[in-house]
Amino acid sequence: MGQAMSEKETLRCVYDLTLDELTALLVSWGEPAYRARQVWEWLYRHYATDFMQMTNLPKALRHRLAEAFSLEPLRPVTEIVSQNRWTRKCLFALPDGETVETVLMLYEKRRTLCISSQVGCGMACPFCATGLSGFTRNLHTGEIVAQVIHYARWLADPHAGGADAAPISRPTRVTNVVFMGMGEPMANYDRVWRAIRILVDKRGFNLGARHITVSTVGIVPGIRRMAEEGLQVRLAVSLHAADDALRDELVPINRTYPLRVLMDAVRYYIRKTGRRVTFEYALMRDVNDRPEHARALAQLLRGVLAHVNLIPMNPVEGSPYQPSTRQATATFARILEDAGLPVTVRLRRGIDINAGCGQLRRHILQVDGRQVMPLPVVSS
Ligand code: SAH
């Protein structure tokens, strides 16, 4: 049993492959090319959990695929659900025993998935739970794609509760994907972009590129590269400070790519793509939330096709950063609005389930070293 398990775990993950690669492989097995298209539809339209379900394929091919590939690179360890059931978060174990988090948020018309790109993160932002845990490894393409497929299955399955989940019964598919889970997506650029290309493939999952957001600490070469990708994927930049001294502290990569260099890259991206860029700004009490900080932010973004997303701070154990008061948040937002900047204050979804970046994993890991411990599911 132990040996069978470990053999299975070392199987290649089928979600690592693009349709072209799958086609080349099946052709090399002596199969007609259209078989790959059939497999692709089973994977990305029907979210098959077993190759044996692929009933329009010859049995021998189904067996051969099952011997070569794994369909489930992620093992859900625990899932917690917010009191109102609009947010759920899953901690997944990877084949090597590492863990990552994925969050599903149900809005009226959107089903937004917040996915991870790395185990841990090397960017060391001191207010971020993942940053405090350090970097372990990059996720493979298939491990990124499988986070989406996991919740796509859940949403589509009437028996799992996804199809009639609060707040309303539709849509039953993932509508938006944001790379705002664990990790820095631009530090795992190639695999993140392979995953994006697999998810937007019209012959399969067919997610609209405009419904995908890549959020970065501000890795300048990555932003410039993204400007050339030719897909309508959105860019979000985690700013958190509008002056270099403060940003050096809050987002340490600023020492490598200071604001002037970062903003040059953002302007280049906007020129190239014509797309508005979101700037994330987590409001931290008495650190970056005073009126002068808002004015500096308005000044920095003057003339830039920008949108500011103010994020209420999720306090992290072991970190001194605290959320801003309501009053400070409102004043901050008003100063930006008065300067003509579009501003939104992010809803505080899932605060009761540690839905902030890396928080569930950190909580669990702290309990028991590297041994993950299941938490009870919260139900309303
Ligand atoms: N590494 C990427 C994406 C992951 S985090 C990035 O930094 O953009 C997604 C967003 O959540 C980032 O803006 C990040 O700075 C923010 N964030 C991290 N920890 C937070 C916390 N404790 N409270 C509020 N926002 C946080």
Side-chain angles (χ1 to χ4, degrees):
M1 164 77 190
Q3 187 166 0
M5 270 305 279
S6 63
E7 271 170 25
K8 201 162 176 71
E9 283 171 0
T10 57
L11 289 180
R12 259 181 100 185
C13 168
V14 74
Y15 305 115
D16 273 322
L17 302 183
T18 62
L19 178 52
D20 284 350
E21 290 165 349
L22 185 64
T23 307
L25 179 79
L26 293 198
V27 168
S28 80
W29 287 1
E31 298 287 340
Y34 71 85
R35 291 284 181 220
R37 212 34 206 274
Q38 290 175 314
V39 174
W40 197 252
E41 286 181 6
W42 279 108
L43 296 177
Y44 294 109
R45 296 225 172 132
H46 309 299
Y47 317 134
T49 52
D50 188 324
F51 287 103
M52 296 310 145
Q53 292 163 353
M54 304 184 180
T55 44
N56 56 354
L57 304 183
K59 260 215 175 95
L61 176 57
R62 284 185 252 164
H63 282 291
R64 190 158 181 194
L65 283 165
E67 275 161 26
F69 290 109
S70 137
L71 267 165
E72 316 236 26
L74 308 176
R75 185 170 56 80
V77 176
T78 179
E79 186 185 53
I80 48 178
V81 183
S82 67
Q83 293 287 353
N84 62 14
R85 297 173 64 228
W86 295 357
T87 304
R88 45 182 67 226
K89 176 169 196 162
C90 194
L91 184 78
F92 290 111
L94 306 171
D96 60 0
E98 296 296 343
T99 53
V100 290
E101 298 174 0
T102 306
V103 182
L104 174 68
M105 287 158 288
L106 308 176
Y107 297 85
E108 234 176 89
K109 296 201 172 112
R110 280 177 287 142
R111 269 83 183 100
T112 300
L113 212 51
C114 176
I115 64 173
S116 296
S117 55
Q118 299 182 313
V119 179
C121 184
M123 298 296 122
C125 302
F127 56 88
C128 172
T130 308
L132 292 172
S133 306
F135 174 74
T136 304
R137 71 166 172 88
N138 283 322
L139 291 188
H140 304 300
T141 299
E143 292 168 337
I144 298 170
V145 171
Q147 295 171 63
V148 180
I149 299 303
H150 174 87
Y151 274 113
R153 280 177 190 153
W154 182 80
L155 283 168
D157 180 357
H159 306 296
D164 66 354
I168 54 164
S169 58
R170 270 164 216 291
T172 54
R173 64 186 310 257
V174 174
T175 62
N176 295 71
V177 169
V178 298
F179 283 88
M180 295 184 189
M182 293 166 53
E184 168 50 41
M186 298 253 185
N188 188 15
Y189 191 99
D190 291 336
R191 284 149 166 178
V192 162
W193 274 85
R194 274 173 71 84
I196 289 173
R197 291 195 182 278
I198 289 170
L199 293 172
V200 301
D201 191 309
K202 290 207 165 20
R203 300 159 295 187
F205 197 72
N206 193 24
L207 184 66
R210 272 173 297 180
H211 297 144
I212 301 176
T213 301
V214 173
S215 175
T216 178
V217 284
I219 309 267
V220 162
I223 294 172
R224 290 184 174 272
R225 224 175 131 184
M226 188 168 156
E228 316 289 344
E229 291 288 350
L231 275 182
Q232 299 278 316
V233 174
R234 288 167 192 263
L235 172 66
V237 176
S238 298
L239 204 56
H240 307 317
D243 71 86
D244 280 319
L246 183 56
R247 197 164 190 269
D248 280 353
E249 186 190 314
L250 297 179
V251 186
I253 197 74
N254 194 67
R255 295 171 203 158
T256 310
Y257 306 112
L259 284 167
R260 193 182 47 75
V261 177
L262 172 61
M263 292 309 296
D264 277 351
V266 168
R267 282 194 196 88
Y268 174 77
Y269 172 88
I270 293 170
R271 261 202 318 280
K272 270 284 194 190
T273 63
R275 291 197 292 276
R276 188 178 294 274
V277 171
T278 295
F279 290 88
E280 295 158 279
Y281 196 104
L283 285 166
M284 305 171 208
R285 190 185 304 169
D286 298 330
V287 174
N288 66 354
D289 69 344
R290 295 199 205 101
E292 63 262 31
H293 294 122
R295 285 191 286 271
L297 179 58
Q299 177 66 27
L300 182 74
L301 299 183
R302 213 163 59 152
V304 178
L305 189 60
H307 169 106
V308 178
N309 193 201
L310 297 177
I311 310 175
M313 183 73 202
N314 268 317
V316 171
E317 248 174 84
S319 143
Y321 300 94
Q322 291 302 316
S324 296
T325 62
R326 256 170 201 279
Q327 180 59 45
T329 305
T331 306
F332 199 96
R334 188 155 6 88
I335 293 170
L336 297 179
E337 275 163 6
D338 289 348
L341 277 167
V343 185
T344 45
V345 181
R346 185 180 293 176
L347 288 176
R348 251 188 141 152
R349 281 171 168 274
I351 190 83
D352 57 325
I353 60 166
N354 278 322
C357 179
Q359 289 186 338
L360 173 58
R361 174 172 177 263
R362 189 168 166 79
H363 182 71
I364 291 176
L365 294 184
Q366 276 177 349
V367 173
D368 195 6
R370 287 183 50 143
Q371 280 276 188
V372 282
M373 272 188 42
L375 286 178
V377 170
V378 179
S379 59
S380 53

